[in-house]
Amino acid sequence: MPELTWSGKDKVKFHHHDVPFYLLNQQYHFVAEAGKPQNREDNILIHGDNLLALKSLLPEFGGRINCIYIDPPYNTGNENWVYNDNVNDPRIQKWLGEVVGKEGEDFSRHDKWLCMMYPRLKLLKQLLADDGVIFISIDDNEQASLKLICDEIFGYGNLLAQMVWRTDGNFDNQAKIKICHEYILCYAKNINLLGLPNGIDPSISENSKIFNPLIKNTIVKNGSKNPISTITLPIGFPCSEKELIISKRDDAYPHYFNDAIIKNYCLTNPVEVSSGWSSKSLLEEFIEEDFQLVMDTKGQKTRFEISSTGAIESIKERENTSHIVSILQGLGSTQNMSNDLKNANIIFDFPKPVDLIKFLINFYANKNAIILDSFSGSGTTAHAVLSLNKDGGNRRFIGVEMMDYAETITAERIRRVINGYGNKPETQNGTGGGFTFYTIGDPLFIAPDTLNPNASLAAIRQYIGYTENLQQTWQPENGVSPHALGYQNGTAYVFYYEQDEVTTLDLPFLQTLQATGLPEKPECWVIYADKVVLTESQLKTFNIVFKRIPRDISRF
């Protein structure tokens, strides 16, 4: 597979491993006014560098995010816009200087943009659930480069689609050809875990056949990919007609080698037919299963029958109505969204429309999904999630915004969406719900061998649990020990840490562990402490792996 190279790639390709782990500082928690609709209140908005924020989210949310939408700077070179659509922002320049060095001063803006995006995409992939999807908005300035690095990071085979969004009413009047579209790249973490997306293209008529409960198509298909072959249809093979005779024929496909006699909707005699087939293996499975429903590759229940014309048709039961096309239109515009925000006294250029983000989120995110946007801008993704929960859902948003308007625009918009704004019924009553506002705090390790004494015990435990790949990190009240972290694959994990004193792994401490509180007797114990006085023989006898704090705490 082709791989994109650029100046500075060697410095950022594995930089996500070197990003220090920072703690998050809670600034406040906001909840809806009394009388507003019920909605999720544990949403998160973080003000700070999204590279640091994404790393800080890993212990709690690594592998748990169901849907990611990001709208990164398009790198148009426009430095006058509030979002600074360039990579000359002082914070990005400072980061490049620290990570890449002085040679970064000579990079093109495209090199800088790729250096900025690459480690962030690597962390986003780590946060994504195995069946999760990511959507990335972009335009022609970086579309080609973005696709190549996404192919590298997520895998070319995990590309769901490169969609085109028609930006109704917004195009460049100065261009020789009026540009009225943007792109949305969509990748899966593992495309094999996904079925059909939910959603119907807004332009579809209410009378469209896609709303029919059954999907009926002929499987007679000739061509180089479907070479002609013969299949025997046995007695009992279903037919759409109660009584029918299809005469032997070789002038229309499928060819019939003998007459087919249908009575009571079933074939009464074996018949050999030949054609090219679009679903030959599934048809053969249907015959082998005595005409019981079989599942196609998309998980649709399928059966086959002879039609009145003698064609062989597949009939699939439509589990959910899905009709997504790669050209997106009729989903709002940035101009209308900007005007709508003015009704909430929020001024922001080119915000993505809520309807567009709601449409994308609904593809694969269920009603309990966690949705992340690490380039939050004015907060459209949060707005979309809160609005979607009007269907009784319990979706949760996590937003990150680096710019200084994170509080005055992003958070303020979310507050007004929650409590209501404007005079339209759909916005006036509000969505209800709440969120917690965080900033980037101190690093977990203030020196190579020193844990930050101000770090909360809960944050440290979550971090250690993540480094040990625990599916769940226990709370201190767990029935084994207030220091127990969890149990997995026959191993019990213990983090014996006190912020104000040195902890010692010794026999008296072992006696405090209540092994009866574990699901089963552990084969091994992994115990963290400041020091150990047990001998190597004792550690082996008790099947203990000792890890010294903080030396043996893994960095990620």
Side-chain angles (χ1 to χ4, degrees), residues 334-516:
T334 58
Q335 185 176 2
N336 289 340
M337 191 72 248
S338 182
N339 291 334
D340 185 69
L341 291 182
K342 288 178 182 178
N343 293 325
N345 295 317
I346 300 293
I347 307 300
F348 195 87
D349 293 332
F350 311 118
K352 290 295 185 292
V354 170
D355 286 345
L356 173 66
I357 308 306
K358 287 166 63 176
F359 187 68
L360 297 175
I361 289 173
N362 262 338
F363 279 14
Y364 288 106
N366 62 36
K367 290 186 176 183
N368 295 304
I370 304 175
I371 295 97
L372 169 66
D373 183 349
S374 56
F375 292 87
S376 285
S378 69
T380 297
T381 300
H383 189 161
V385 171
L386 289 165
S387 297
L388 282 171
N389 280 342
K390 291 179 181 179
D391 66 2
N394 197 37
R395 302 169 187 84
R396 183 183 189 186
F397 74 77
I398 301 173
V400 184
E401 179 49 55
M402 178 175 74
M403 296 299 179
D404 293 335
Y405 57 72
E407 166 59 28
T408 58
I409 291 180
T410 316
E412 183 61 22
R413 174 182 179 179
I414 298 171
R415 286 191 287 267
R416 295 183 186 189
V417 167
I418 287 172
N419 283 329
Y421 67 90
N423 52 21
K424 296 180 181 178
E426 61 266 30
T427 63
Q428 195 174 35
N429 295 328
T431 63
F435 68 97
T436 302
F437 189 87
Y438 293 90
T439 55
I440 306 293
D442 297 325
L444 181 62
F445 298 95
I446 57 176
D449 293 320
T450 308
L451 273 172
N452 187 337
N454 296 321
S456 71
L457 182 58
I460 299 174
R461 286 171 60 85
Q462 191 79 46
Y463 179 96
I464 303 299
Y466 180 77
T467 63
E468 293 289 1
N469 295 312
L470 289 176
Q471 294 181 358
Q472 179 183 11
T473 300
W474 289 348
Q475 297 297 320
E477 302 78 20
N478 54 64
V480 177
S481 166
H483 306 288
L485 286 175
Y487 178 85
Q488 193 165 291
N489 299 327
T491 300
Y493 296 85
V494 178
F495 183 62
Y496 185 23
Y497 173 74
E498 299 288 351
Q499 290 180 319
D500 300 321
E501 61 183 72
V502 175
T503 59
T504 302
L505 175 54
D506 53 17
L507 288 174
F509 175 72
L510 290 182
Q511 292 171 353
T512 68
L513 302 177
Q514 303 296 317
T516 55

Side-chain angles (χ1 to χ4, degrees), residues 72-98:
Y74 286 6
N75 204 18
T76 60
N78 179 9
E79 296 184 45
N80 297 318
W81 181 30
V82 64
Y83 203 76
N84 195 354
D85 204 17
N86 199 320
V87 287
N88 287 329
D89 183 273
R91 283 157 284 206
I92 295 297
Q93 293 286 48
K94 180 176 182 291
W95 175 79
L96 280 170
E98 293 172 350

